[in-house]
Amino acid sequence: MLKLAFSKTPDVQLPYSFFSEAEHDYLYVKQGEQAQVAMALMFIEQGQFKWVSADRVVLVTEQGRIVRTVGLKNDLLHLTNTASDPLKKQLSSTSTTSWSRIADWQQHEYGYPLRSTFQYGPVETLQFFGQPLDVVPLIENIQYAADANFVRFDDKWQNRFWLDAKTGVVLKSVQTLVPGAEAFEMIFISEVVRQLRRAGVDVAADAV
């Protein structure tokens, strides 16, 4: 009993064959120091992808960005102006752009204006299932555009997205929804499988 109580829950790592044969899309998510879990795509509605975990937490994403959550201690209820999110636009590798929106939170935090600036980094290579994929990192610098209604130790933070170098689709991201909160590390693993297939890469069925 003691061994189980103090042992760390292992990360979920499913083989390539699982995703290549699956009828639904999956997303790997790791929040802070918690174990990595797999979330299944439940619905696609009006451009929003709704992912659900085994414990019924729901993450809603648009083009790889979390825009709403259900089942967390302080859910993100609403994010405005998502149509102008630069993740949805084709930017040049040297461009810098900005994006403003308003966020509402469950714990009586409504109408918080946020402003982001974006900058691409140089092309990198990430390994998935033991195979390399070229990606372009997109760095997002975020700041509260107005004072919060309560004390915050930091009003600035960063998100990072890794886009497939050929298609611009988000393959991986590290997103912090508010300063001081645990980051969500996300791998859009079913999309990774599609990109490997498009590239004609031969992946072993048991590769993880």
Side-chain angles (χ1 to χ4, degrees):
M1 290 293 291
L2 283 173
K3 183 178 179 180
L4 289 173
F6 289 100
S7 61
K8 183 179 179 181
T9 303
D11 289 342
V12 171
Q13 292 279 1
L14 298 171
Y16 179 83
S17 59
F18 174 85
F19 299 108
S20 62
E21 298 169 3
E23 296 182 0
H24 306 285
D25 272 16
Y26 287 86
L27 167 70
Y28 277 149
V29 179
K30 183 178 179 66
Q31 185 182 12
E33 298 300 318
Q34 299 179 39
Q36 176 175 278
V37 300
M39 303 183 74
L41 181 60
M42 183 172 55
F43 298 113
I44 302 176
E45 297 177 332
Q46 298 181 336
Q48 293 188 336
F49 290 65
K50 300 181 179 182
W51 309 86
V52 62
S53 68
D55 58 355
R56 299 183 182 274
V57 170
V58 178
L59 298 181
V60 182
T61 65
E62 292 185 20
Q63 190 62 22
R65 179 187 298 282
I66 299 172
V67 298
R68 187 159 62 89
T69 67
V70 179
L72 301 180
K73 291 181 179 179
N74 186 16
D75 281 318
L76 174 60
L77 301 178
H78 184 62
L79 202 63
T80 68
N81 197 28
T82 58
S84 298
D85 187 346
L87 279 174
K88 297 182 176 181
K89 301 178 180 180
Q90 190 69 37
L91 304 178
S92 70
S93 60
T94 58
S95 66
T96 301
T97 189
S98 62
W99 174 45
S100 296
R101 70 277 194 195
I102 293 174
D104 293 339
W105 294 87
Q106 181 182 7
Q107 299 296 332
H108 309 293
E109 304 167 36
Y110 302 102
Y112 281 99
L114 305 173
R115 185 176 184 275
S116 295
T117 57
F118 298 80
Q119 185 66 51
Y120 277 117
V123 175
E124 301 175 358
T125 299
L126 293 181
Q127 293 279 335
F128 300 102
F129 302 106
Q131 303 294 330
L133 277 177
D134 288 339
V135 295
V136 178
L138 183 61
I139 303 165
E140 178 186 18
N141 296 292
I142 311 164
Q143 182 174 8
Y144 280 107
D147 293 336
N149 294 334
F150 53 93
V151 175
R152 287 199 186 274
F153 295 104
D154 193 358
D155 64 351
K156 300 177 183 178
W157 68 102
Q158 275 192 348
N159 288 336
R160 290 178 178 266
F161 301 87
W162 288 265
L163 286 60
D164 181 80
K166 292 182 179 179
T167 65
V169 175
V170 175
L171 301 182
K172 179 179 178 179
S173 71
V174 177
Q175 301 179 51
T176 302
L177 301 185
V178 291
E182 293 183 317
F184 289 88
E185 182 174 344
M186 307 163 65
I187 299 175
F188 292 84
I189 194 66
S190 293
E191 186 61 46
V192 167
V193 170
R194 279 192 286 273
Q195 296 303 326
L196 290 170
R197 282 176 166 175
R198 290 189 183 110
V201 177
D202 187 17
V203 182
D206 59 352
V208 294

